[in-house]
Amino acid sequence: MNDSNNQDFEQISKEEKSPSFLLELILMLMHNKKWWLTPIILVLLLFGALIIMGGSSYAPFIYTLF
């Protein structure tokens, strides 16, 4: 490759913003029609939030839910 192609690629990559992880995940689910993954992802996110909050000052409030 010559220098002009490398410079064009660098310029394009700097100008374009990459989509966020969440947007990219949603676009992948729509494109591949993998909607059955949505409840699994939501449950994993919920468990992750509970684990994170379990080690914080919110723990007494979470324990009363169970």
Side-chain angles (χ1 to χ4, degrees), residues 47 49-66:
F47 281 142
L50 284 174
I51 289 171
I52 290 172
M53 283 194 242
S56 68
S57 61
Y58 297 116
F61 301 112
I62 294 172
Y63 294 137
T64 58
L65 296 176
F66 299 105

Side-chain angles (χ1 to χ4, degrees), residues 8-57:
D8 290 341
F9 179 74
E10 289 176 11
Q11 182 181 7
I12 290 170
S13 65
K14 287 178 184 176
E15 289 175 359
E16 291 184 15
K17 294 193 106 180
S18 61
S20 67
F21 175 75
L22 190 60
L23 178 62
E24 195 170 331
L25 180 66
I26 291 170
L27 290 174
M28 185 273 302
L29 290 174
M30 288 174 44
H31 179 71
N32 293 331
K33 295 179 179 59
K34 302 278 186 191
W35 291 110
W36 56 271
L37 285 173
T38 305
I40 296 170
I41 293 170
L42 290 176
V43 168
L44 288 174
L45 289 173
L46 179 67
F47 281 142
L50 284 174
I51 289 171
I52 290 172
M53 283 194 242
S56 68
S57 61

Side-chain angles (χ1 to χ4, degrees), residues 1-10:
M1 295 183 87
N2 58 24
D3 281 340
S4 66
N5 285 342
N6 286 338
Q7 290 173 353
D8 290 341
F9 179 74
E10 289 176 11

